[in-house]
mmCIF file of all heavy atoms in Angstrom:
data_model
loop_
_atom_site.group_PDB
_atom_site.id
_atom_site.type_symbol
_atom_site.label_atom_id
_atom_site.label_comp_id
_atom_site.label_asym_id
_atom_site.label_seq_id
_atom_site.Cartn_x
_atom_site.Cartn_y
_atom_site.Cartn_z
ATOM 1 N N ARG A 23 106.080 162.607 83.903
ATOM 2 C CA ARG A 23 106.594 162.341 82.557
ATOM 3 C C ARG A 23 107.119 160.915 82.453
ATOM 4 O O ARG A 23 107.791 160.439 83.373
ATOM 5 C CB ARG A 23 107.759 163.306 82.285
ATOM 6 C CG ARG A 23 107.662 163.946 80.924
ATOM 7 C CD ARG A 23 108.816 164.888 80.729
ATOM 8 N NE ARG A 23 108.601 166.186 81.323
ATOM 9 C CZ ARG A 23 109.590 166.977 81.747
ATOM 10 N NH1 ARG A 23 110.839 166.589 81.677
ATOM 11 N NH2 ARG A 23 109.319 168.150 82.256
ATOM 12 N N GLN A 29 113.838 153.139 74.216
ATOM 13 C CA GLN A 29 112.458 153.096 73.715
ATOM 14 C C GLN A 29 112.213 151.905 72.803
ATOM 15 O O GLN A 29 112.970 151.659 71.871
ATOM 16 C CB GLN A 29 112.183 154.380 72.934
ATOM 17 C CG GLN A 29 111.677 155.527 73.807
ATOM 18 C CD GLN A 29 110.410 155.182 74.565
ATOM 19 O OE1 GLN A 29 109.597 154.397 74.095
ATOM 20 N NE2 GLN A 29 110.235 155.749 75.741
ATOM 21 N N PRO A 30 111.196 151.115 73.124
ATOM 22 C CA PRO A 30 110.872 150.029 72.203
ATOM 23 C C PRO A 30 110.415 150.598 70.866
ATOM 24 O O PRO A 30 109.987 151.754 70.796
ATOM 25 C CB PRO A 30 109.722 149.300 72.894
ATOM 26 C CG PRO A 30 109.400 150.039 74.130
ATOM 27 C CD PRO A 30 110.309 151.200 74.266
ATOM 28 N N TYR A 80 109.218 133.752 107.032
ATOM 29 C CA TYR A 80 108.970 134.538 105.813
ATOM 30 C C TYR A 80 107.764 133.963 105.081
ATOM 31 O O TYR A 80 107.685 132.754 104.889
ATOM 32 C CB TYR A 80 110.191 134.507 104.884
ATOM 33 C CG TYR A 80 111.343 135.364 105.387
ATOM 34 C CD1 TYR A 80 112.052 135.001 106.537
ATOM 35 C CD2 TYR A 80 111.713 136.534 104.732
ATOM 36 C CE1 TYR A 80 113.098 135.782 107.015
ATOM 37 C CE2 TYR A 80 112.756 137.316 105.202
ATOM 38 C CZ TYR A 80 113.447 136.937 106.350
ATOM 39 O OH TYR A 80 114.460 137.715 106.812
ATOM 40 N N VAL A 131 109.007 145.916 96.800
ATOM 41 C CA VAL A 131 108.913 147.256 97.377
ATOM 42 C C VAL A 131 107.602 147.909 96.908
ATOM 43 O O VAL A 131 106.861 148.489 97.700
ATOM 44 C CB VAL A 131 110.138 148.114 96.969
ATOM 45 C CG1 VAL A 131 109.956 149.559 97.401
ATOM 46 C CG2 VAL A 131 111.403 147.548 97.587
ATOM 47 N N ARG A 164 124.252 131.554 82.706
ATOM 48 C CA ARG A 164 123.599 132.847 82.445
ATOM 49 C C ARG A 164 122.560 132.679 81.349
ATOM 50 O O ARG A 164 122.889 132.257 80.237
ATOM 51 C CB ARG A 164 124.648 133.881 82.042
ATOM 52 C CG ARG A 164 124.038 135.221 81.694
ATOM 53 C CD ARG A 164 125.064 136.298 81.603
ATOM 54 N NE ARG A 164 125.745 136.481 82.879
ATOM 55 C CZ ARG A 164 126.874 137.147 83.023
ATOM 56 N NH1 ARG A 164 127.450 137.681 81.985
ATOM 57 N NH2 ARG A 164 127.429 137.284 84.214
ATOM 58 N N ALA A 185 122.543 140.036 109.029
ATOM 59 C CA ALA A 185 123.165 138.737 109.323
ATOM 60 C C ALA A 185 122.173 137.608 109.058
ATOM 61 O O ALA A 185 122.556 136.559 108.523
ATOM 62 C CB ALA A 185 123.643 138.708 110.774
ATOM 63 N N TYR A 284 128.098 139.001 114.137
ATOM 64 C CA TYR A 284 127.063 137.961 114.049
ATOM 65 C C TYR A 284 127.542 136.809 113.170
ATOM 66 O O TYR A 284 127.368 135.646 113.502
ATOM 67 C CB TYR A 284 125.766 138.527 113.462
ATOM 68 C CG TYR A 284 124.925 139.289 114.463
ATOM 69 C CD1 TYR A 284 124.655 140.640 114.275
ATOM 70 C CD2 TYR A 284 124.376 138.657 115.581
ATOM 71 C CE1 TYR A 284 123.879 141.351 115.175
ATOM 72 C CE2 TYR A 284 123.597 139.364 116.480
ATOM 73 C CZ TYR A 284 123.352 140.708 116.277
ATOM 74 O OH TYR A 284 122.588 141.389 117.167
ATOM 75 N N GLU A 287 129.875 134.619 114.961
ATOM 76 C CA GLU A 287 129.193 133.756 115.932
ATOM 77 C C GLU A 287 128.426 132.626 115.250
ATOM 78 O O GLU A 287 128.368 131.509 115.746
ATOM 79 C CB GLU A 287 128.226 134.571 116.784
ATOM 80 C CG GLU A 287 128.891 135.096 118.044
ATOM 81 C CD GLU A 287 128.139 136.255 118.655
ATOM 82 O OE1 GLU A 287 126.895 136.184 118.693
ATOM 83 O OE2 GLU A 287 128.792 137.224 119.074
ATOM 84 N N LEU A 334 115.174 152.664 99.398
ATOM 85 C CA LEU A 334 114.389 152.342 98.198
ATOM 86 C C LEU A 334 112.879 152.540 98.382
ATOM 87 O O LEU A 334 112.202 153.034 97.473
ATOM 88 C CB LEU A 334 114.703 150.917 97.727
ATOM 89 C CG LEU A 334 114.075 150.508 96.406
ATOM 90 C CD1 LEU A 334 114.460 151.480 95.284
ATOM 91 C CD2 LEU A 334 114.471 149.090 96.016
ATOM 92 N N LEU A 338 110.651 155.147 96.083
ATOM 93 C CA LEU A 338 109.517 154.770 95.221
ATOM 94 C C LEU A 338 108.198 155.330 95.753
ATOM 95 O O LEU A 338 107.122 154.889 95.349
ATOM 96 C CB LEU A 338 109.439 153.246 95.081
ATOM 97 C CG LEU A 338 110.563 152.611 94.255
ATOM 98 C CD1 LEU A 338 110.415 151.104 94.175
ATOM 99 C CD2 LEU A 338 110.609 153.183 92.838
ATOM 100 N N ARG A 341 106.862 155.454 102.780
ATOM 101 C CA ARG A 341 107.467 156.086 103.954
ATOM 102 C C ARG A 341 108.896 155.577 104.106
ATOM 103 O O ARG A 341 109.190 154.455 103.671
ATOM 104 C CB ARG A 341 106.701 155.667 105.208
ATOM 105 C CG ARG A 341 105.273 156.065 105.166
ATOM 106 C CD ARG A 341 104.614 155.635 106.450
ATOM 107 N NE ARG A 341 103.214 155.981 106.368
ATOM 108 C CZ ARG A 341 102.339 155.817 107.335
ATOM 109 N NH1 ARG A 341 102.730 155.287 108.476
ATOM 110 N NH2 ARG A 341 101.087 156.173 107.188
ATOM 111 N N ASP A 369 110.956 113.179 96.681
ATOM 112 C CA ASP A 369 109.947 113.537 97.657
ATOM 113 C C ASP A 369 108.776 112.568 97.684
ATOM 114 O O ASP A 369 108.099 112.433 98.674
ATOM 115 C CB ASP A 369 109.438 114.950 97.383
ATOM 116 C CG ASP A 369 109.130 115.164 95.914
ATOM 117 O OD1 ASP A 369 109.746 114.472 95.077
ATOM 118 O OD2 ASP A 369 108.286 116.015 95.602
ATOM 119 N N VAL A 426 100.025 96.020 95.779
ATOM 120 C CA VAL A 426 98.762 95.278 95.762
ATOM 121 C C VAL A 426 98.577 94.767 94.336
ATOM 122 O O VAL A 426 98.682 95.551 93.382
ATOM 123 C CB VAL A 426 97.591 96.199 96.177
ATOM 124 C CG1 VAL A 426 96.254 95.548 95.852
ATOM 125 C CG2 VAL A 426 97.671 96.514 97.669
#
Side-chain angles (χ1 to χ4, degrees):
R23 226 179 277 153
Q29 272 302 329
Y80 286 69
V131 172
R164 177 167 299 165
Y284 280 118
E287 269 161 42
L334 187 56
L338 290 180
R341 300 181 182 184
D369 46 333
V426 167

